[in-house]
Amino acid sequence: MAAPVDLELKKAFTELQAKVIDTQQKVKLADVQIEQLNRTKKHAHLTDTEIMTLVDETNMYEGVGRMFILQSKEAIHNQLLEKQKIAEEKIKELEVNSTTVISEVSTTPAFSLLGILT
């Protein structure tokens, strides 16, 4: 009688381990994506601060693929602000998804057996 319970317990434990490992991988991926988005946001901000020091009538070239397009300073400024805004939204979304994934696994009844994920 103890053998079937042990088998069920072992099966539940291995399923939980697999779920925890999957969750850890998802959290690591989200962290890497957040770091990349932070770099993108910072780069756009630094570029924008440098551009704002130029005269308003300055025309600039925007790199698009293998060519450059002549743009006004205001157009480039707006694009950089939009890039920062989009990066910030994606960062918030990834953080919410990450905490959701962690809470889903940590609320599993058998999770207390593992205690791996924090």
Side-chain angles (χ1 to χ4, degrees):
M1 187 164 144
V5 173
D6 289 339
L7 269 169
E8 291 174 18
L9 185 62
K10 185 175 181 178
K11 181 181 177 186
F13 186 73
T14 55
E15 288 175 5
L16 185 61
Q17 271 185 323
K19 187 182 272 190
V20 167
I21 290 170
D22 184 49
T23 301
Q24 286 175 336
Q25 289 173 347
K26 287 179 182 178
V27 169
K28 283 181 185 178
L29 178 63
D31 288 343
V32 168
Q33 289 173 338
I34 288 171
E35 287 176 24
Q36 178 63 36
L37 287 169
N38 278 328
R39 274 189 238 115
T40 301
K41 188 174 89 171
K42 187 173 185 177
H43 183 267
H45 174 71
L46 292 172
T47 304
D48 189 44
T49 54
E50 287 297 318
I51 285 175
M52 293 312 291
T53 61
L54 300 172
V55 181
D56 286 339
E57 294 81 30
T58 305
N59 286 327
M60 299 171 198
Y61 289 97
E62 175 190 4
V64 180
R66 297 170 128 197
M67 65 180 181
F68 296 95
I69 298 176
L70 187 63
Q71 296 277 356
S72 67
K73 176 184 166 184
E74 189 64 30
I76 301 255
H77 171 69
N78 291 336
Q79 288 174 359
L80 291 170
L81 290 178
E82 185 67 23
K83 187 183 254 188
Q84 291 177 45
K85 181 181 168 189
I86 289 171
E88 187 63 37
E89 290 171 357
K90 287 182 181 178
I91 288 170
K92 287 179 184 176
E93 182 181 319
L94 285 169
E95 287 173 346
V96 167
N97 287 346
S98 180
T99 55
T100 303
V101 167
I102 290 173
S103 66
E104 284 177 1
V105 170
S106 62
T107 57
T108 305
F111 181 71
S112 60
L113 295 174
L114 281 180
I116 294 174
L117 194 63
T118 55

